[in-house]
Structure formats: C-alpha cells, structure tokens
Amino acid sequence: MKKAKHIGLIFGILTIFILAACGGSDDDNATDSNGETDYSEEVDYTIIGIEPGAGISVTTEAAIEEYDSLQGWSVELSSTAAMMTELRGAIENEEPIVITGWNPHWMFAEYPDMKYLDDPEGIYGGEETLNSLARIGLEEEKPEAYKLIDQFEWNVEDMEAIMYEAEETGKEVEEVAVQWVEDNQDRVAEWVEGVEDVDGVEIELASTPWDSERASSGVLKEVMEQKGFNVTVTELDVAIMFESIATGDADASLGAWLPITHKDFYEAHQDNIVDLGPNLNGAKIGLVVPEYMDIDSIEDLNPR
Ligand code: PBE
C-alpha cells in the first residue's frame, strides 16, 4: 500500500512537470533575443511541404541550402492533402505555419489571408509558366493532335475556377472540367481552329498528380475527344512525366512548370522533347504563411 502511494506521488509530480512543460510551449509564444515572437522555433524549424516528387519540394531543399535564415531547417514531405490539413488546423488555432504554396490552387480562395514570403535570393523565381510538351515526332505523326495541343492556352482564373468548384462540391476535377468545356465553347473554338476531325487517333497525355494538371488535362481530353481523338491521361511523378515524353512513351503533357519549378527535369530532357511554350501564364510558387504572422521575407525566419 505504502509503495503504491509512493508510485502515485511520483506519477503526480511527473504529471505536473509534463503539464508545465507542455503548458509552457502552448500558452507562451517562443521569443527571440529581441523579445519578439520566434515563429521559427514555434514551427520547430519545419516547412510543411507536399509530395517528395514535386518540383516545389526540390526547390525548397535548395532554399534551405541557400538561405542563412533556413540553416538547420527541414521540409516535411508527405502529400498535398496532408499539408492542407495541417494548414487548416493552424489557421483555425491562429498558430504559425510555413507551407510550400503555389498558384493556381484553391488554397488562396479558401484562405485568402495568406501571403508569399519575399524571396530576395530568387530561389523560387518570379512568375512561372505552365508549358506544353510534345514528344519528338508527334508533329509529323499526329499533326492534328500537335496543332490542337499547340493552340491550347488559358489563364489562371479559368483553371482556378475548375479547381475551386471541384473542391467546393466534392466533384471530381475531371467532371468539372468536362462541364467547363461545355460552358466555354467560345474559348474552345480558338483551340480547335483549323484542326480537322480525326477518327479514333490514340493520344497518351502524361499528367502529374495535382488538381492544376487534372484540370488542364481534363479540359484538353474532352476537347480532343470531341474532335475524334481517343485520349488516355496518366498521372505520373514529375520526373517520370518528363521521361515519358523524352522516350516517346507519352505524346504530350501540359504540366511543365518553368523556368524554376521543373528546371532540373527540364534540363535533363530538353534535347529530347519539344517545348510548345506556355499554355498558362502567371503561375507562382514559394513559401507561404498566414497573414497573422508578422514576417514578410524568408530572411525574417531564424536558423536553428
Ligand atoms: N506543384 C503543382 C507541382 C506542379 C503542379 C507546383 C505542386 C510541383 O511540381 O511542384
């Protein structure tokens, strides 16, 4: 009995210590030497990222290498869905968080009070374009497909409208894309201008596993099928997407983010792919934080 009491007491004291330790980091904000909130410590020097195969993950590793303010930081790589869940939790509790963010995406429609951190070293670059790629030989072998893919271009608002509606309604992005084609026949008319109908020509579109590319691939697939093509869309890791165009396994892709996000992949394969140029202007990537965090630049973070 006596022993049990003793153990109870020890557990009691331990509990108090543990509670005090947790309470300390929960209630009080970490502060730096100037007495200002040290967000870096609060987020445990961790950037919340997405899939390891994404270009933005590669770029973020480069940012950690490059910035003194990010020395000792790491990037947590899992999935876009997991990042969005962590973001939602942080915003609900007004806690600091640093994520890898990009446009087009619905994250800024859902959480308008977020900002890109300034990137004075230009690691994430400025404006990105989404370029269309074709395999060498597509132009000669399937000229109508080549012409249509080359003529396909739209803008951030179009793409985000599809992504946001899918997110809001829970419908598949591909389904919303089909409806978009129906509702925007004037735009579609520009892409199919001078393109003859075909009879079941097979087209392999290589895509990547994000809603932006589900939207563009979904729209192009529908437009091409209305012209008589038989289109298959395959979602691949970025590296494999580039490789499949370079080897000719796939005919085309709409998902090359340039000049920064997919730089390494592009440079590895540029001699073996045909770059048809931008199908969308005004994309962007970078480190993103909620507005309530009182910092503006990557340089306002602190090394570990
Ligand atoms: N993204 C969206 C991808 C491409 C599409 C910016 C997350 C990336 O490779 O980083």
Side-chain angles (χ1 to χ4, degrees):
M1 199 62 205
K2 201 172 173 198
K3 206 173 177 190
K5 259 191 194 162
H6 224 89
I7 289 171
L9 187 63
I10 289 169
F11 271 113
I13 291 168
L14 269 180
T15 310
I16 289 165
F17 272 119
I18 290 166
L19 284 178
C22 293
S25 60
D26 264 6
D27 302 341
D28 307 334
N29 294 329
T31 51
D32 65 14
S33 51
N34 303 322
E36 286 170 6
T37 305
D38 188 347
Y39 297 121
S40 306
E41 192 183 334
E42 285 189 27
V43 302
D44 197 21
Y45 308 95
T46 304
I47 296 163
I48 307 300
I50 57 167
E51 290 78 1
I56 199 171
S57 305
V58 179
T59 313
T60 300
E61 302 280 8
I64 291 173
E65 285 278 298
E66 204 60 36
Y67 277 97
D68 291 341
S69 59
L70 292 178
Q71 291 316 300
W73 280 63
S74 55
V75 51
E76 187 180 300
L77 300 175
S78 56
S79 69
T80 303
M83 182 184 82
M84 293 312 297
T85 303
E86 294 216 31
L87 177 65
R88 182 169 300 125
I91 287 186
E92 275 169 13
N93 298 310
E94 253 202 53
E95 284 165 357
I97 185 167
V98 183
I99 66 165
T100 59
W102 67 91
N103 291 90
H105 192 270
W106 49 264
M107 64 179 89
F108 292 93
E110 180 98 3
Y111 305 111
D113 295 335
M114 294 202 299
K115 59 190 172 190
Y116 281 97
L117 292 179
D118 290 344
D119 169 27
E121 299 285 348
I123 304 293
Y124 292 98
E127 218 176 76
E128 292 269 282
T129 58
L130 275 52
N131 285 26
S132 305
L133 309 177
R135 70 171 167 85
I136 290 173
L138 183 71
E139 184 174 16
E140 294 73 28
E141 291 162 35
K142 300 174 183 175
E144 301 304 322
Y146 182 90
K147 187 174 173 66
L148 200 167
I149 294 166
D150 196 20
Q151 289 180 172
F152 170 76
E153 60 166 332
W154 60 344
N155 56 49
V156 171
E157 292 72 41
D158 299 324
M159 187 186 253
E160 282 188 338
I162 293 177
M163 296 164 81
Y164 196 47
E165 190 185 327
E167 174 58 22
E168 287 268 87
T169 60
K171 288 183 194 163
E172 294 295 324
V173 174
E174 291 80 357
E175 185 189 341
V176 180
V178 169
Q179 185 62 43
W180 189 95
V181 170
E182 176 124 342
D183 297 343
N184 290 272
Q185 284 293 315
D186 50 331
R187 309 289 299 287
V188 172
E190 293 170 21
W191 307 334
V192 299
E193 205 181 312
V195 177
E196 304 287 335
D197 284 355
V198 297
D199 189 11
V201 172
E202 302 278 342
I203 289 293
E204 286 279 345
L205 277 187
S207 192
T208 54
W210 290 281
D211 284 356
S212 39
E213 280 60 44
R214 290 188 185 110
S216 55
S217 302
V219 164
L220 182 65
K221 174 180 158 81
E222 177 65 12
V223 171
M224 292 191 88
E225 292 199 328
Q226 288 181 1
K227 295 298 286 180
F229 292 94
N230 195 350
V231 181
T232 310
V233 177
T234 310
E235 288 188 6
L236 303 163
D237 261 9
V238 180
I240 312 291
M241 179 274 274
F242 274 88
E243 207 179 295
S244 70
I245 306 290
T247 57
D249 281 349
D251 290 305
S253 179
L254 301 175
W257 287 53
L258 296 168
I260 300 282
T261 314
H262 294 162
K263 182 171 183 279
D264 294 354
F265 310 108
Y266 184 79
E267 284 177 354
H269 295 293
Q270 61 182 337
D271 294 343
N272 299 311
I273 54 186
V274 181
D275 180 358
L276 300 175
N279 59 64
L280 181 147
N281 290 292
K284 187 167 171 50
I285 66 166
L287 293 184
V288 170
V289 300
E291 287 280 0
Y292 54 74
M293 285 173 71
D294 191 18
I295 51 170
D296 297 309
S297 168
I298 297 175
E299 290 186 337
D300 295 336
L301 295 165
N302 294 321
R304 188 190 278 272

